[in-house]
Amino acid sequence: MNDFRRIADRIAADIASGRLRPGQRLPPQRAFARRHGLAPSTAGRVYAELVRRGLVVGEVGRGTFVRAGAPDGQPGRALTEAAGAEPVNLELNYPYLPGQSELLSPVLASLARSDALGDALRPAAVAGTPAAREAVAGLLARGGVRAEPERILFTGNARQAIAATLVSLVRPGGRIGVEPLTYPMVKEIGARLGRTLVPIGTDEEGPRPDALAAAHRAAPLSALYLQPTLHNPTTLTMSAGRRAELADVVHRLGIPVVEDRIWSFLHPPGRTSAPPLATLAPDRVHLVDGLSKRVAPGLTVGFVVVPEDRTEAVARAIRAGGWNAGGFALEAAVRWIGDGTVERLVGAKRHDAARRRRLLTAELDGFAVRSDPAAYFAWWQLPAPWRADTFAAAARERGIAVTPGTAFAVGPGGAPDAVRLGLGSVPEPELARALSVLAAVARDGRGAGSGSARW
């Protein structure tokens, strides 16, 4: 029976015509069923069909909202380009600096010579090469990580290193402890690989040791995934004391840890005395890092420093997933690290992030925005009555893409009314204009209400 699809077609037409606007909340399903004389199950099918078409999004405990940029909808008003153009993307966060190509090109030119190209085009082993292991060990040492070269394994990027490490630690159906707001890719990895994410209670310093112990007692955790430095999305950096407490708990309970340090390079030397978890618990911690943020997303390498007895298990997972690093990218990385290019980029990106952080402070003055001075992103707790999804929809209508808090939340009911702003992927003038528009949207408040549609 296709009656529910015909009803969905009428709602889709209302969305396409603009009678239902991005961010507008639909009536609760039972109210919709009563209004239209439908069985509750039929109303449920209508809403499910709208979700399937990508026209609406449901938020547990809050309702169903018309999505921004829905496939059948009208294009929003662009910030800097004609209507229908690509939005100003504050979702992505891959910093790439003016003049960076010129800095990287000499190494690429040297690899293009026939004598070097032959070696670079060969498959890379999981363990890389001796030169690669030494280069990465030196790079990590500058961030306070002491890593024996023989414990370093290579992947195509840091996401693959996270996935391979979790696969090696957690069987299907196993439990992974995470912060209540975590890297969305870890949520995706858990869902695709059949692993259950367990949010660990936090306070202003990060995950609480007592909450971690309680979660493990309730049902054993197979692993713990953490971002101790410049946590994505909140930019929190754990104190040395909290890291020591967590290291003590994972030692005592025997919980393996995946420590994600992908943004840690932005902290200048001496900025914090907090040591990496891998230094405090080297027999438990698998440290993941990479070059996508330091260098560029298009030609990158991930690496993981593993405990001594875990090398082969993680290597098997990398090979099984086909997550090996490419030979060309690995050789380029070795040369960029060796000739100082990576360190020059790191220094320039620290200055760039600081400038962008000042733009953020100026444009969103007076709002509840959290952002470490070193970070390339910010966490904005929205003013009432805004909800994360409706604000993201209103922003998208004005040609700006932001990430709602629902993307990071683990478990039902845990989504805050906040959005993450990526500061690193658009030119500074465009960033300033986008932040100014978002501030105006937040102050205006139109579209933030929860009124239902006319039908």
Side-chain angles (χ1 to χ4, degrees):
M1 186 170 179
N2 291 324
D3 286 351
F4 76 92
R5 291 192 179 90
R6 286 196 290 271
I7 297 170
D9 288 342
R10 290 202 297 272
I11 299 171
D14 280 347
I15 294 172
S17 69
R19 287 190 293 271
L20 288 175
R21 298 184 54 172
Q24 190 167 345
R25 194 174 86 171
L26 275 60
Q29 290 183 26
R30 288 188 178 278
F32 181 85
R34 287 195 300 270
R35 189 174 302 172
H36 293 275
L38 302 173
S41 60
T42 302
R45 290 192 187 98
V46 172
Y47 278 47
E49 176 67 11
L50 294 171
V51 170
R52 187 190 68 79
R53 297 184 192 182
L55 297 173
V56 301
V57 61
E59 187 175 340
V60 176
R62 290 182 170 175
T64 302
F65 300 85
V66 177
R67 285 190 61 178
D72 295 328
Q74 299 297 318
R77 295 186 298 275
L79 171 67
T80 57
E81 299 181 68
E86 286 298 308
V88 177
N89 198 327
L90 304 188
E91 291 184 301
L92 293 179
N93 209 19
Y94 287 105
Y96 194 90
L97 306 178
Q100 185 168 326
S101 297
E102 289 77 11
L103 192 61
L104 297 173
S105 60
V107 160
L108 297 179
S110 69
L111 283 175
R113 296 198 312 265
S114 59
D115 56 333
L117 191 59
D119 290 335
L121 293 181
R122 291 191 177 94
V126 173
T129 63
R133 293 192 295 273
E134 291 289 346
V136 168
L139 181 68
L140 293 172
R142 290 191 278 278
V145 179
R146 295 194 184 109
E148 292 85 359
E150 60 271 16
R151 294 196 292 120
I152 299 173
L153 303 175
F154 295 89
T155 58
N157 54 49
R159 294 190 300 274
Q160 294 174 352
I162 293 168
T165 304
L166 290 175
V167 165
S168 76
L169 290 168
V170 188
R171 294 179 180 276
R175 288 161 45 93
I176 304 170
V178 295
E179 290 132 320
L181 297 171
T182 195
Y183 179 34
M185 188 57 63
V186 170
K187 293 174 60 177
E188 181 73 12
I189 289 169
R192 287 183 176 272
L193 300 180
R195 277 69 170 174
T196 300
L197 301 190
V198 180
I200 306 299
T202 61
D203 58 21
E204 66 280 358
E205 289 199 60
R208 302 193 328 265
D210 64 316
L212 173 58
H216 189 65
R217 283 196 302 270
L221 298 172
S222 299
L224 176 66
Y225 168 82
L226 296 174
Q227 304 171 79
T229 302
L230 294 178
H231 171 266
N232 179 16
T234 67
T235 80
L236 173 70
T237 292
M238 286 185 209
S239 68
R242 177 54 56 88
R243 295 177 194 227
E245 292 169 346
L246 289 171
D248 179 68
V249 172
V250 300
H251 261 305
R252 179 161 45 86
L253 300 179
I255 304 172
V257 180
V258 179
E259 179 180 10
D260 184 345
R261 283 182 55 87
I262 194 67
W263 286 109
S264 62
F265 74 93
L266 288 172
H267 264 202
R271 157 76 190 278
T272 176
S273 60
L277 283 172
T279 299
L280 299 172
D283 60 331
R284 289 289 166 200
V285 177
H286 305 65
L287 183 145
V288 172
D289 207 337
L291 295 182
S292 63
K293 311 300 189 198
R294 286 179 175 91
V295 181
L299 189 67
T300 187
V301 171
F303 31 89
V304 53
V305 183
V306 300
E308 284 186 26
D309 61 345
R310 294 279 304 149
T311 305
E312 186 49 40
V314 177
R316 283 199 303 271
I318 294 171
R319 286 191 289 265
W323 292 319
N324 302 57
F328 189 91
L330 188 62
E331 182 57 33
V334 170
R335 298 186 185 207
W336 282 326
I337 294 171
D339 70 5
T341 295
V342 171
E343 278 304 292
R344 287 192 289 275
L345 284 173
V346 165
K349 290 184 178 184
R350 286 173 182 160
H351 289 297
D352 184 58
R355 287 196 308 272
R356 290 165 183 268
R357 173 62 161 68
R358 288 193 290 271
L359 284 177
L360 175 82
T361 301
E363 298 294 345
L364 298 187
D365 182 42
F367 290 105
V369 179
R370 177 173 189 160
S371 183
D372 186 287
Y376 257 124
F377 50 94
W379 185 238
W380 186 2
Q381 192 71 39
L382 297 167
W386 282 111
R387 296 187 174 96
D389 282 338
T390 53
F391 184 83
R396 180 62 174 81
E397 202 181 19
R398 290 156 178 82
I400 307 167
V402 301
T403 309
T406 47
F408 303 92
V410 178
D417 290 320
V419 294
R420 192 200 71 170
L421 306 175
L423 308 177
S425 293
V426 299
E428 287 183 52
E430 195 170 338
L431 174 62
R433 289 194 296 273
L435 293 173
S436 177
V437 170
L438 292 177
V441 171
R443 292 189 183 100
D444 182 9
R446 282 180 291 185
S450 58
S452 61
R454 60 172 177 81
W455 40 267

